Every structure is written in structure tokens, then in C-alpha cells.
Amino acid sequence: MNETTEKYPANFIRTIIEKDVQAGKHSGRVVTRFPPEPNGYLHIGHAKAICLNFGMARDFGGSTNLRFDDTNPLKENAEFMESMQTDITWLGFEWRELRNASDYFEQLFNFAVQLINKDRAYVDSQTAEQIRVNRGSLTQPGTDSPFRDRTINENLELFQRMRDGDFADGEHVLRLKIDMTSPNINMRDPTIYRIRHVIHHQTGDAWCIYPMYDYTHCISDSLEGVTHSLCDLGFEDHRPLYDWVLNELAMNAHPQQIEFSRLNLQYTVMSKRKLKQLVEENLVDGWDDPRLPTLAGLRRRGYTPEAIRDFCRRIGVTKSDNNVELAMLQSCLREDLEGKAPRAMAVLNPVRVTIENYPKGQVERLSVDNHPKDESMGQREVPFARDIYIDRADFREEANRKYKRLVLGGEVRLRNAYVIRADRIVRDPQGEIIEIVCTYDPETLGRNPESRKIRGVIHWVSAEHALPALFNLYEPLFTVDFPDMSVQDYRELLNPNSRVVAEGFVEASLGNAQSDVQYQFEREGYFCIDNKHDGGDQLVFNRSVELRDTWSKIEGREEAQR
RNA sequence: UGGGGUGUCGCCAAGUCGGUAAGGCACAAGGUUUUGAUCCUUGCAUGCGCAGGUUCGAGUCCUGCCACCCCAGCCA
């Protein structure tokens, strides 16, 4: 993945920016910003916005600021700021400057005074309930507040006293004086300041009035020289307000707000409220639970920044509602990992195999490629001995020709080793197979027999040398593709099998598995070390994604036919 | 029933001045293969929400419908 391929494919925002640059608008500069509210963890939907903002600026030689939209101290905290910086950096982006909306509180206050002086803002002393009622409805115009005609001086004095802490929470608010009959509800004298006697994580007790989003955002953008202010469709109705404020203030930089649709991904939820609820109600194991669509969760699951960036590129940017299939995300991960994940063998659901004609006590140190197509990844040593484990799913007492694995009386290739034949099975008193007794063909190491065709290859580990391991096998967190659309509460749709722990073995070389390396356990999927789950003496791996599996499709089809 | 949006293959999505429907995912078929992986090849929208109209020609222009999404926080 290089700079060229990382470029965003054509989309309507790129078209707008291209035209602006050509026309010399904003002197041909491109400045964007990513403005999260620090009230949760960043998720894959944010990644879409991050890639867009940073990507567009990069493609046009511009820059991007990270700005925390910290205007509501009730919901925000510094810990979330930390995690967001970690996640953005991990994703691979660098901001030019880190700002907080709270850096502008003093300026914002002064701008508000300006608006009061222009008779474009007033202190309203109605209750929240009265304001709500007087706002009207979608089809009914609103009515003017009885306080709408206060004199400029009275407003000035009241606003100053609000700042000075003379009033309790909710006693007054500052509102813009626009038009209570506007068909656009956002223009019906929106509130821009409210009283909150709370400590702010950045400004401490310096303020007891806090500006609101609509007022703060456009001014912050302008102050930072942002040229293109990209946000989601939810703010389309707010654009007239964004422009109104900047025009009334006669700001010399007037960014263009452009809206795009947010990402909807199958089998998950994306709203911060719901993610927060899942975490706080312990329905998952924290913000970095590998089943969550948070960047922290995806990272722990084994997703790479490259895969996520590629995903954001592939899903595109439009204004239409989208419902992206999970397969798209998984495909991006597989594509990234295929070329760079070292291979290894792991048996998730072991059954013992004894190779009767292999000398007891003998151990062969087989030299095995770490990647089938990339010699530069080198080789490793894999011990082979008389007792090994294979996966239960790789053996059947009887099967038709389509089954290409080990069948009683049949042969199969042990990956990177010999061809074996299953001679008989040993069962426990309950009837379960506990051992498969085989014989091996010593002539088949590194070459195929000439007389017959070996159709299958299965993986294995040496029983004596293998390391016990736990495998977190994940399924989607929800049982339905779009939990948000269900009439049921999304918490009732949690998939009980979203995390299943398998107990098995990994080959000895994984004893020094790196925690930041994704491995492909051949025929099983891509895995990475999970250093948060406690496995005691055992290694713990997370399955990031399975390998593409055409066999299970064929098998499923046959099952269905029966 | 106010305002703002969106409708191109199962999903995502490209479609400059109207010129005769990119690509990816998924799926299907075949080839290679000591991963039923990868890789390679091939297939996959006479049609772009619907109905009219303009035009030699319309996904692209016009008109009228229809469907879906968003907005009534002192949240962002």
C-alpha cells in the first residue's frame, strides 16, 4: 500500500475540493479537521470520517487539525481524549495541531457579546420546557419568547452575570435572534449558551457557562482556517445556521460545510450511546472488547490500520444511506494479512493421532516455510514425532469423495510432513473417539507418492512439543444484521456465541509469538496474541477473521439437500 | 401534513459538455496449489425508484408521482 493507492477514489467531496482548488478558492489551500466529542471511544464509523478528513487534506497537500469538541463537560473527560489520540495515531494519521473547542471559550464569549450588541442574540429566561413548547413543531411555527425584546444593555448585563456565576443552572440561556417562524427548526432562535456549574476537564472552574455545538463549531472551524468542514448528514439542516453565525460575525474565513452519510455496518451497533451502554452494563469486556466496532476493539481483535484504511476507501463517500456487509470489512483484513502474516499450525479442537510405525522417541526437526509465496519470511523448525494432534473436524470414519481429509482406511497429507493412513480408532467408554491409530509413508516427506494421488492436506502439531493454548473464536455480537432496525431492544439481540473459547495446541515455535504480529494458523484463520485475557499458563489467541471457506459452503449445500 | 436529503446489479459505488452502464465485495464456473487459503481465468444491470416529456440520442435535461432517511436537546 503506497501513497498512490492510498488515494481516495472519486467521490463528490473530492470533486468539490478539486473545483475549489482550481478556482483558487481559499487561495487554493485545503484544511480539514476531525472534531470528535471526547465522550466515548472512536469506532469504525469515525474511521471513515478520519480517513476522509486526513485523506483529502493529504491528497491536496493540505493539513488537518484534531479538535476535541469539548463543549459539554457533563459527558466528556480527558481519558477519552487520550484514547482518541492513541487510536488516530494507530490508524496512521498525524494532525497538524491539536486543539480543543475550549481553547476558544474566551473568544467565543466575546463573539457572543458582539452578537448581543448587534441585537442578534438575547438572554432568555424561560424554562427549558417553555422554550420547547414555544419552539413550535415540525408543522407549526414557533412563537417569540417574552424575553426576546430585552434591551441590548440588559442582555449584556445579564450575559455577563451568567458568566460571573450569579445564576443557577437553567435560569437563563443565551439565544440567537433569528426567526421563530422558520420552517427550519434549527433557525428558531437556537440556544447557544447554557449555565452549568460544573468543573470542565480542560478549563477547570474558569467557566460556568458553556457554548453549544452549532455556535462553537463554525467559529472554531473559521478560527483554524478550515476550508472544508466535513460532517455527517445529521447536520445538513444546521448548515444555514453555520453560515448565519459566520456571516453575522463577518468572519474573514468562511469554511464550507459538506455533509456525507455515516457508515452502517452489518451485525453491530455504531451509536456511542449504545456502545457506552454495552460497556457500562458489562455486556462486553470493555471498550476494547474484540467484538466491538471500536478501533480499540478492532485493534485487539487483530485488525490492522492498513485494512481499516482500505475499508474506508472501498466503501466510498456519498450522501446515500448505506448498509455495508461485514464481508467487505473481512475481505479487507484478509487481503492485508494474506501477504504479511507468517504461517503456523494450531489445532483448535484436538484429537490424538498415533503413528504406529514411527519409531518411539524419535523426533524430526522439519524445516518449514513461514510463507508459501514469500521466501524472505524465512523458515522455522517444526518437530515431528509419533504422537500428534489433528483437528476433530479433519477426520471422519466414513465420507464421500468430496471430503478430502482423513477417513478411516484412507490417506491424507500432514501439512509440511508425511502422508498418513488411518488404520483404526480407539474410543472411550462413552463412545467418543480419543485416538486415531495411523501409519505413515516414510517416502512422502517433501514429495508425493507416484502410484497414488493424495487429495487432502491437514494440519497437525506434535503432542509432546505443542504448547497448550486458548483460542477466542468470535462471531458477530448480534444475531441480526441490523440491530438498530429491530423493534426489539438491541441488548436482547446479543449473540450468545459471540465469543467461544476453544482449548487446543499451537506449534512450539509460537512460544515466542510476538504480540504485535498477526499469524495465519493454516486452514484456520488469522490470529493474534491477546494479552488481556488471562489464560494462566496457556497462550491466548484471538481469531481476527477466518480464512475464506468454500468447503463449508459445499458442505452446507449438501446438508441442505438431504 | 413544515423543512432538509437520498433513490445505478444481493451489498458498496463510479458515472465531466446528454452519446449509448467503471470497479470492489458477494456469488457461480473452471485452472494452479503439500493451506478446500492464496493466485489466475470466466460469468454476473438492453438497464439506472416509477410514469410521461424534450432530443437523432437521457442514468445524465424537464414535469409529475412513489419509496426511504434526517430534524421539534439548555447533546454533539
Side-chain angles (χ1 to χ4, degrees):
Chain A
M1 204 65 61
N2 58 43
E3 281 297 308
T4 316
T5 58
E6 283 258 1
K7 277 201 174 184
Y8 255 89
N11 65 57
F12 79 102
I13 293 180
R14 167 181 290 282
T15 304
I16 292 173
I17 296 178
E18 259 163 13
K19 279 184 183 145
D20 288 348
V21 169
Q22 274 171 18
K25 194 174 172 184
H26 309 295
S27 322
R29 285 177 313 119
V30 175
V31 178
T32 59
R33 97 272 91 115
F34 176 61
E37 180 187 19
N39 67 343
Y41 273 59
L42 261 20
H43 54 64
I44 186 87
H46 291 109
K48 174 178 179 177
I50 293 169
C51 290
L52 211 220
N53 276 295
F54 283 90
M56 283 300 143
R58 179 204 56 214
D59 289 356
F60 289 93
S63 61
T64 307
N65 283 352
L66 168 60
R67 183 176 69 235
F68 289 111
D69 227 324
D70 56 349
T71 55
N72 187 358
L74 256 25
K75 292 188 177 176
E76 301 147 4
N77 69 50
E79 181 205 327
F80 290 137
M81 286 183 169
E82 287 297 316
S83 73
M84 288 178 167
Q85 291 176 59
T86 301
D87 290 344
I88 295 167
T89 303
W90 173 76
L91 237 201
F93 295 102
E94 256 178 78
W95 49 87
R96 183 187 59 180
E97 286 184 66
L98 186 141
R99 302 286 186 90
N100 298 318
S102 54
D103 296 341
Y104 310 127
F105 279 176
E106 190 64 43
Q107 291 173 84
L108 258 1
F109 179 85
N110 292 331
F111 281 127
V113 170
Q114 268 187 50
L115 290 171
I116 293 172
N117 275 122
K118 283 187 71 180
D119 196 27
R120 287 289 187 274
Y122 63 98
V123 173
D124 195 352
S125 308
Q126 294 182 102
T127 62
E129 172 66 10
Q130 289 170 322
I131 289 179
R132 188 181 63 74
V133 170
N134 291 336
R135 186 159 27 232
S137 72
L138 296 178
T139 50
Q140 294 292 121
T143 50
D144 287 0
S145 163
F147 302 97
R148 202 173 196 261
D149 296 319
R150 286 217 248 236
T151 65
I152 290 172
N153 277 63
E154 194 180 354
N155 284 137
L156 250 18
E157 189 202 324
L158 248 17
F159 188 46
Q160 181 61 47
R161 290 183 61 201
M162 281 168 65
R163 175 180 182 167
D164 292 343
D166 289 355
F167 306 114
D169 290 4
E171 264 190 80
H172 308 282
V173 292
L174 186 70
R175 290 230 257 169
L176 257 18
K177 191 183 284 190
I178 306 180
D179 178 8
M180 288 306 290
T181 68
S182 172
N184 180 348
I185 292 185
N186 297 117
M187 299 299 271
R188 320 238 258 233
D189 291 9
T191 299
I192 60 168
Y193 268 94
R194 73 292 217 191
I195 301 170
R196 289 268 184 281
H197 288 271
V198 290
I199 298 296
H200 186 285
H201 51 95
Q202 298 300 307
T203 59
D205 62 358
W207 295 87
C208 62
I209 57 172
Y210 293 97
M212 293 184 60
Y213 169 84
D214 283 311
Y215 175 70
T216 306
H217 201 82
C218 54
I219 295 176
S220 304
D221 279 348
S222 177
L223 256 18
E224 290 177 23
V226 168
T227 57
H228 301 270
S229 181
L230 316 180
C231 61
D232 76 67
L233 252 29
F235 296 101
E236 258 172 330
D237 294 343
H238 297 241
R239 192 178 346 115
L241 180 50
Y242 185 105
D243 291 329
W244 187 96
V245 171
L246 295 183
N247 287 147
E248 289 298 330
L249 257 13
M251 303 292 287
N252 41 25
H254 194 132
Q256 179 182 4
Q257 175 178 306
I258 306 171
E259 311 85 8
F260 61 94
S261 54
R262 32 197 310 167
L263 166 69
N264 294 304
L265 185 63
Q266 280 187 335
Y267 296 105
T268 192
V269 292
M270 215 73 94
S271 95
K272 276 206 255 185
R273 192 195 111 243
K274 288 177 182 171
L275 290 173
K276 191 170 207 150
Q277 213 163 29
L278 289 171
V279 172
E280 288 176 351
E281 293 178 8
N282 293 311
L283 269 10
V284 295
D285 306 328
W287 286 101
D288 65 348
D289 187 301
R291 296 167 296 184
L292 254 20
T294 53
L295 294 179
L298 289 165
R299 176 166 62 236
R300 189 170 154 208
R301 173 78 171 255
Y303 270 80
T304 59
E306 290 80 4
I308 293 173
R309 277 188 256 128
D310 187 33
F311 174 73
C312 292
R313 213 173 299 125
R314 288 201 218 178
I315 58 174
V317 181
T318 66
K319 296 181 75 134
S320 45
D321 288 343
N322 57 82
N323 296 247
V324 178
E325 291 175 341
L326 198 53
M328 184 84 93
L329 217 210
Q330 297 175 328
S331 162
C332 291
L333 213 217
R334 289 194 192 105
E335 186 174 311
D336 183 44
L337 260 23
E338 156 60 25
K340 65 187 186 197
R343 273 77 231 257
M345 291 195 283
V347 175
L348 276 52
N349 188 211
V351 60
R352 201 169 186 98
V353 168
T354 304
I355 302 164
E356 242 179 347
N357 61 337
Y358 195 85
K360 278 183 184 164
Q362 180 175 314
V363 176
E364 276 180 272
R365 305 279 169 181
L366 305 174
S367 205
V368 167
D369 290 337
N370 285 327
H371 191 107
K373 291 184 174 175
D374 186 355
E375 284 183 28
S376 76
M377 291 181 76
Q379 297 190 314
R380 66 189 188 283
E381 208 172 66
V382 177
F384 182 80
R386 192 173 196 261
D387 297 308
I388 63 173
Y389 291 113
I390 66 168
D391 199 283
R392 282 187 180 277
D394 288 337
F395 173 77
R396 282 186 191 174
E397 289 178 67
E398 50 186 75
N400 65 24
R401 284 280 295 167
K402 283 192 178 167
Y403 186 80
K404 302 199 297 186
R405 308 176 187 186
L406 188 59
V407 178
L408 197 55
E411 284 185 307
V412 77
R413 150 87 53 194
L414 289 176
R415 174 75 167 152
N416 296 128
Y418 300 92
V419 170
I420 56 169
R421 186 184 61 239
D423 297 322
R424 60 177 202 278
I425 52 180
V426 179
R427 296 175 191 276
D428 67 9
Q430 284 71 244
E432 194 183 357
I433 299 170
I434 53 169
E435 185 186 357
I436 304 163
V437 181
C438 300
T439 52
Y440 86 115
D441 180 345
E443 300 304 311
T444 54
L445 183 61
R447 64 163 171 247
N448 284 320
E450 285 161 19
S451 54
R452 64 223 131 103
K453 175 103 177 140
I454 307 300
R455 299 182 64 242
V457 181
I458 64 173
H459 56 94
W460 55 277
V461 292
S462 159
E464 183 195 340
H465 309 272
L467 276 12
L470 259 26
F471 306 91
N472 290 134
L473 308 179
Y474 298 108
E475 278 183 21
L477 226 205
F478 295 94
T479 53
V480 298
D481 48 8
F482 293 102
D484 287 329
M485 293 177 191
S486 172
V487 287
Q488 282 182 76
D489 186 286
Y490 71 102
R491 287 166 296 186
E492 291 169 19
L493 302 168
L494 289 166
N495 176 3
N497 299 319
S498 58
R499 175 178 169 232
V500 170
V501 182
E503 260 183 279
F505 299 94
V506 294
E507 64 173 67
S509 73
L510 260 358
N512 34 17
Q514 317 275 182
S515 62
D516 57 347
V517 172
Q518 275 77 25
Y519 295 88
Q520 185 197 97
F521 292 164
E522 289 186 285
R523 306 208 311 129
E524 294 290 0
Y526 293 98
F527 290 75
C528 64
I529 292 262
D530 184 329
N531 32 35
K532 223 175 149 183
H533 274 121
D534 182 18
D537 297 337
Q538 304 173 90
L539 291 161
V540 182
F541 289 92
N542 287 331
R543 181 160 67 193
S544 313
V545 66
E546 294 174 64
L547 256 29
R548 202 171 268 110
D549 184 4
T550 43
W551 165 242
S552 69
K553 261 176 232 157
I554 296 167
E555 200 183 24
R557 218 181 282 159
E558 299 204 330
E559 295 279 313
Q561 276 173 9
R562 257 175 245 146

mmCIF file of all heavy atoms in Angstrom, chain A residues 457-483:
data_model
loop_
_atom_site.group_PDB
_atom_site.id
_atom_site.type_symbol
_atom_site.label_atom_id
_atom_site.label_comp_id
_atom_site.label_asym_id
_atom_site.label_seq_id
_atom_site.Cartn_x
_atom_site.Cartn_y
_atom_site.Cartn_z
ATOM 1 N N VAL A 457 -4.920 -32.271 2.532
ATOM 2 C CA VAL A 457 -3.824 -31.837 3.391
ATOM 3 C C VAL A 457 -4.444 -31.318 4.687
ATOM 4 O O VAL A 457 -5.365 -30.508 4.653
ATOM 5 C CB VAL A 457 -3.040 -30.677 2.740
ATOM 6 C CG1 VAL A 457 -1.884 -30.250 3.647
ATOM 7 C CG2 VAL A 457 -2.526 -31.087 1.370
ATOM 8 N N ILE A 458 -3.954 -31.805 5.801
ATOM 9 C CA ILE A 458 -4.458 -31.289 7.073
ATOM 10 C C ILE A 458 -3.284 -30.846 7.949
ATOM 11 O O ILE A 458 -2.143 -31.254 7.726
ATOM 12 C CB ILE A 458 -5.315 -32.331 7.834
ATOM 13 C CG1 ILE A 458 -4.464 -33.540 8.231
ATOM 14 C CG2 ILE A 458 -6.523 -32.744 6.993
ATOM 15 C CD1 ILE A 458 -5.193 -34.534 9.131
ATOM 16 N N HIS A 459 -3.587 -29.990 8.894
ATOM 17 C CA HIS A 459 -2.529 -29.502 9.766
ATOM 18 C C HIS A 459 -2.499 -30.299 11.054
ATOM 19 O O HIS A 459 -3.427 -31.033 11.373
ATOM 20 C CB HIS A 459 -2.736 -28.014 10.038
ATOM 21 C CG HIS A 459 -4.081 -27.699 10.622
ATOM 22 N ND1 HIS A 459 -4.296 -27.600 11.957
ATOM 23 C CD2 HIS A 459 -5.289 -27.513 10.037
ATOM 24 C CE1 HIS A 459 -5.583 -27.340 12.182
ATOM 25 N NE2 HIS A 459 -6.198 -27.283 11.033
ATOM 26 N N TRP A 460 -1.431 -30.149 11.816
ATOM 27 C CA TRP A 460 -1.185 -31.003 12.980
ATOM 28 C C TRP A 460 -0.181 -30.330 13.897
ATOM 29 O O TRP A 460 0.476 -29.355 13.502
ATOM 30 C CB TRP A 460 -0.600 -32.335 12.488
ATOM 31 C CG TRP A 460 0.632 -32.077 11.647
ATOM 32 C CD1 TRP A 460 0.652 -31.745 10.326
ATOM 33 C CD2 TRP A 460 1.985 -32.023 12.107
ATOM 34 N NE1 TRP A 460 1.942 -31.492 9.918
ATOM 35 C CE2 TRP A 460 2.779 -31.659 11.001
ATOM 36 C CE3 TRP A 460 2.606 -32.248 13.356
ATOM 37 C CZ2 TRP A 460 4.163 -31.501 11.086
ATOM 38 C CZ3 TRP A 460 3.992 -32.110 13.447
ATOM 39 C CH2 TRP A 460 4.765 -31.730 12.308
ATOM 40 N N VAL A 461 -0.024 -30.842 15.098
ATOM 41 C CA VAL A 461 1.082 -30.412 15.972
ATOM 42 C C VAL A 461 1.583 -31.641 16.720
ATOM 43 O O VAL A 461 0.826 -32.581 16.958
ATOM 44 C CB VAL A 461 0.660 -29.340 17.013
ATOM 45 C CG1 VAL A 461 0.329 -28.027 16.335
ATOM 46 C CG2 VAL A 461 -0.502 -29.837 17.871
ATOM 47 N N SER A 462 2.836 -31.633 17.067
ATOM 48 C CA SER A 462 3.427 -32.734 17.821
ATOM 49 C C SER A 462 2.922 -32.658 19.259
ATOM 50 O O SER A 462 3.039 -31.621 19.920
ATOM 51 C CB SER A 462 4.952 -32.622 17.801
ATOM 52 O OG SER A 462 5.496 -33.363 18.878
ATOM 53 N N ALA A 463 2.365 -33.763 19.740
ATOM 54 C CA ALA A 463 1.767 -33.764 21.079
ATOM 55 C C ALA A 463 2.786 -33.418 22.162
ATOM 56 O O ALA A 463 2.483 -32.679 23.096
ATOM 57 C CB ALA A 463 1.136 -35.125 21.378
ATOM 58 N N GLU A 464 3.966 -33.935 22.008
ATOM 59 C CA GLU A 464 4.985 -33.705 23.039
ATOM 60 C C GLU A 464 5.479 -32.266 23.045
ATOM 61 O O GLU A 464 5.780 -31.697 24.091
ATOM 62 C CB GLU A 464 6.168 -34.657 22.813
ATOM 63 C CG GLU A 464 7.247 -34.534 23.879
ATOM 64 C CD GLU A 464 8.549 -35.212 23.432
ATOM 65 O OE1 GLU A 464 8.495 -36.075 22.521
ATOM 66 O OE2 GLU A 464 9.611 -34.849 23.965
ATOM 67 N N HIS A 465 5.556 -31.664 21.877
ATOM 68 C CA HIS A 465 6.172 -30.347 21.767
ATOM 69 C C HIS A 465 5.183 -29.187 21.754
ATOM 70 O O HIS A 465 5.554 -28.045 22.041
ATOM 71 C CB HIS A 465 7.022 -30.269 20.498
ATOM 72 C CG HIS A 465 7.981 -31.407 20.378
ATOM 73 N ND1 HIS A 465 9.240 -31.373 20.925
ATOM 74 C CD2 HIS A 465 7.852 -32.641 19.807
ATOM 75 C CE1 HIS A 465 9.854 -32.525 20.683
ATOM 76 N NE2 HIS A 465 9.020 -33.311 20.005
ATOM 77 N N ALA A 466 3.950 -29.492 21.386
ATOM 78 C CA ALA A 466 2.976 -28.410 21.229
ATOM 79 C C ALA A 466 2.726 -27.686 22.543
ATOM 80 O O ALA A 466 2.888 -28.245 23.628
ATOM 81 C CB ALA A 466 1.668 -28.958 20.689
ATOM 82 N N LEU A 467 2.326 -26.439 22.432
ATOM 83 C CA LEU A 467 2.013 -25.637 23.605
ATOM 84 C C LEU A 467 0.497 -25.526 23.746
ATOM 85 O O LEU A 467 -0.192 -25.239 22.772
ATOM 86 C CB LEU A 467 2.579 -24.226 23.416
ATOM 87 C CG LEU A 467 4.030 -23.873 23.747
ATOM 88 C CD1 LEU A 467 4.888 -25.082 23.998
ATOM 89 C CD2 LEU A 467 4.592 -22.965 22.677
ATOM 90 N N PRO A 468 -0.006 -25.741 24.955
ATOM 91 C CA PRO A 468 -1.452 -25.597 25.130
ATOM 92 C C PRO A 468 -1.847 -24.129 24.920
ATOM 93 O O PRO A 468 -1.099 -23.228 25.291
ATOM 94 C CB PRO A 468 -1.684 -26.028 26.570
ATOM 95 C CG PRO A 468 -0.365 -25.885 27.238
ATOM 96 C CD PRO A 468 0.674 -26.134 26.191
ATOM 97 N N ALA A 469 -2.977 -23.927 24.317
ATOM 98 C CA ALA A 469 -3.400 -22.553 24.039
ATOM 99 C C ALA A 469 -4.912 -22.439 24.074
ATOM 100 O O ALA A 469 -5.641 -23.420 23.911
ATOM 101 C CB ALA A 469 -2.881 -22.112 22.674
ATOM 102 N N LEU A 470 -5.345 -21.221 24.312
ATOM 103 C CA LEU A 470 -6.775 -20.913 24.282
ATOM 104 C C LEU A 470 -7.019 -20.053 23.047
ATOM 105 O O LEU A 470 -6.211 -19.187 22.723
ATOM 106 C CB LEU A 470 -7.143 -20.100 25.534
ATOM 107 C CG LEU A 470 -7.825 -20.776 26.729
ATOM 108 C CD1 LEU A 470 -7.520 -22.258 26.813
ATOM 109 C CD2 LEU A 470 -7.452 -20.056 28.017
ATOM 110 N N PHE A 471 -8.133 -20.308 22.404
ATOM 111 C CA PHE A 471 -8.448 -19.536 21.206
ATOM 112 C C PHE A 471 -9.805 -18.859 21.369
ATOM 113 O O PHE A 471 -10.806 -19.544 21.595
ATOM 114 C CB PHE A 471 -8.498 -20.447 19.969
ATOM 115 C CG PHE A 471 -7.247 -21.253 19.779
ATOM 116 C CD1 PHE A 471 -7.138 -22.525 20.335
ATOM 117 C CD2 PHE A 471 -6.183 -20.738 19.052
ATOM 118 C CE1 PHE A 471 -5.982 -23.279 20.163
ATOM 119 C CE2 PHE A 471 -5.022 -21.481 18.874
ATOM 120 C CZ PHE A 471 -4.918 -22.755 19.438
ATOM 121 N N ASN A 472 -9.817 -17.553 21.293
ATOM 122 C CA ASN A 472 -11.092 -16.834 21.320
ATOM 123 C C ASN A 472 -11.641 -16.817 19.907
ATOM 124 O O ASN A 472 -11.061 -16.195 19.025
ATOM 125 C CB ASN A 472 -10.890 -15.385 21.795
ATOM 126 C CG ASN A 472 -10.523 -15.328 23.270
ATOM 127 O OD1 ASN A 472 -9.608 -14.612 23.658
ATOM 128 N ND2 ASN A 472 -11.231 -16.086 24.066
ATOM 129 N N LEU A 473 -12.737 -17.513 19.727
ATOM 130 C CA LEU A 473 -13.351 -17.570 18.395
ATOM 131 C C LEU A 473 -14.575 -16.661 18.407
ATOM 132 O O LEU A 473 -15.490 -16.847 19.206
ATOM 133 C CB LEU A 473 -13.751 -19.012 18.070
ATOM 134 C CG LEU A 473 -12.618 -20.018 18.251
ATOM 135 C CD1 LEU A 473 -13.113 -21.426 17.933
ATOM 136 C CD2 LEU A 473 -11.419 -19.654 17.378
ATOM 137 N N TYR A 474 -14.544 -15.684 17.549
ATOM 138 C CA TYR A 474 -15.600 -14.682 17.583
ATOM 139 C C TYR A 474 -16.621 -14.830 16.471
ATOM 140 O O TYR A 474 -16.303 -15.215 15.353
ATOM 141 C CB TYR A 474 -14.989 -13.277 17.504
ATOM 142 C CG TYR A 474 -14.093 -12.971 18.671
ATOM 143 C CD1 TYR A 474 -12.707 -12.915 18.512
ATOM 144 C CD2 TYR A 474 -14.624 -12.756 19.933
ATOM 145 C CE1 TYR A 474 -11.876 -12.641 19.585
ATOM 146 C CE2 TYR A 474 -13.804 -12.490 21.024
ATOM 147 C CZ TYR A 474 -12.428 -12.423 20.845
ATOM 148 O OH TYR A 474 -11.616 -12.152 21.912
ATOM 149 N N GLU A 475 -17.828 -14.493 16.836
ATOM 150 C CA GLU A 475 -18.914 -14.371 15.875
ATOM 151 C C GLU A 475 -19.452 -12.960 16.080
ATOM 152 O O GLU A 475 -19.117 -12.312 17.050
ATOM 153 C CB GLU A 475 -20.021 -15.388 16.186
ATOM 154 C CG GLU A 475 -19.744 -16.770 15.640
ATOM 155 C CD GLU A 475 -20.901 -17.725 15.904
ATOM 156 O OE1 GLU A 475 -22.035 -17.252 16.138
ATOM 157 O OE2 GLU A 475 -20.648 -18.931 15.886
ATOM 158 N N PRO A 476 -20.307 -12.514 15.185
ATOM 159 C CA PRO A 476 -20.859 -11.170 15.369
ATOM 160 C C PRO A 476 -21.509 -11.021 16.746
ATOM 161 O O PRO A 476 -22.038 -11.972 17.304
ATOM 162 C CB PRO A 476 -21.898 -11.069 14.254
ATOM 163 C CG PRO A 476 -21.364 -11.948 13.186
ATOM 164 C CD PRO A 476 -20.746 -13.115 13.914
ATOM 165 N N LEU A 477 -21.454 -9.817 17.279
ATOM 166 C CA LEU A 477 -22.015 -9.536 18.598
ATOM 167 C C LEU A 477 -23.526 -9.682 18.599
ATOM 168 O O LEU A 477 -24.136 -9.941 19.624
ATOM 169 C CB LEU A 477 -21.664 -8.093 18.998
ATOM 170 C CG LEU A 477 -21.135 -7.789 20.399
ATOM 171 C CD1 LEU A 477 -21.442 -6.358 20.775
ATOM 172 C CD2 LEU A 477 -21.647 -8.741 21.460
ATOM 173 N N PHE A 478 -24.128 -9.460 17.429
ATOM 174 C CA PHE A 478 -25.591 -9.533 17.341
ATOM 175 C C PHE A 478 -26.048 -10.633 16.397
ATOM 176 O O PHE A 478 -25.331 -11.029 15.484
ATOM 177 C CB PHE A 478 -26.152 -8.180 16.886
ATOM 178 C CG PHE A 478 -25.912 -7.090 17.895
ATOM 179 C CD1 PHE A 478 -24.795 -6.266 17.786
ATOM 180 C CD2 PHE A 478 -26.758 -6.923 18.971
ATOM 181 C CE1 PHE A 478 -24.553 -5.285 18.744
ATOM 182 C CE2 PHE A 478 -26.520 -5.941 19.928
ATOM 183 C CZ PHE A 478 -25.413 -5.123 19.814
ATOM 184 N N THR A 479 -27.250 -11.076 16.648
ATOM 185 C CA THR A 479 -27.788 -12.166 15.846
ATOM 186 C C THR A 479 -28.482 -11.679 14.576
ATOM 187 O O THR A 479 -28.802 -12.473 13.712
ATOM 188 C CB THR A 479 -28.830 -12.967 16.665
ATOM 189 O OG1 THR A 479 -29.799 -12.030 17.179
ATOM 190 C CG2 THR A 479 -28.170 -13.680 17.817
ATOM 191 N N VAL A 480 -28.741 -10.393 14.511
ATOM 192 C CA VAL A 480 -29.408 -9.866 13.317
ATOM 193 C C VAL A 480 -28.489 -8.868 12.628
ATOM 194 O O VAL A 480 -27.653 -8.224 13.278
ATOM 195 C CB VAL A 480 -30.745 -9.170 13.655
ATOM 196 C CG1 VAL A 480 -31.706 -10.164 14.286
ATOM 197 C CG2 VAL A 480 -30.524 -7.993 14.601
ATOM 198 N N ASP A 481 -28.659 -8.729 11.312
ATOM 199 C CA ASP A 481 -27.728 -7.877 10.589
ATOM 200 C C ASP A 481 -27.814 -6.392 10.943
ATOM 201 O O ASP A 481 -26.814 -5.699 10.971
ATOM 202 C CB ASP A 481 -27.834 -8.093 9.069
ATOM 203 C CG ASP A 481 -29.274 -8.070 8.568
ATOM 204 O OD1 ASP A 481 -30.179 -7.749 9.360
ATOM 205 O OD2 ASP A 481 -29.480 -8.368 7.387
ATOM 206 N N PHE A 482 -29.035 -5.912 11.242
ATOM 207 C CA PHE A 482 -29.108 -4.507 11.627
ATOM 208 C C PHE A 482 -29.913 -4.314 12.905
ATOM 209 O O PHE A 482 -31.100 -4.018 12.870
ATOM 210 C CB PHE A 482 -29.672 -3.663 10.477
ATOM 211 C CG PHE A 482 -28.727 -3.616 9.307
ATOM 212 C CD1 PHE A 482 -28.951 -4.389 8.189
ATOM 213 C CD2 PHE A 482 -27.569 -2.839 9.378
ATOM 214 C CE1 PHE A 482 -28.035 -4.391 7.131
ATOM 215 C CE2 PHE A 482 -26.654 -2.839 8.323
ATOM 216 C CZ PHE A 482 -26.887 -3.598 7.211
ATOM 217 N N PRO A 483 -29.255 -4.538 14.052
ATOM 218 C CA PRO A 483 -29.942 -4.449 15.339
ATOM 219 C C PRO A 483 -30.663 -3.113 15.552
ATOM 220 O O PRO A 483 -31.673 -3.062 16.240
ATOM 221 C CB PRO A 483 -28.827 -4.655 16.366
ATOM 222 C CG PRO A 483 -27.549 -4.650 15.622
ATOM 223 C CD PRO A 483 -27.838 -4.864 14.194
#
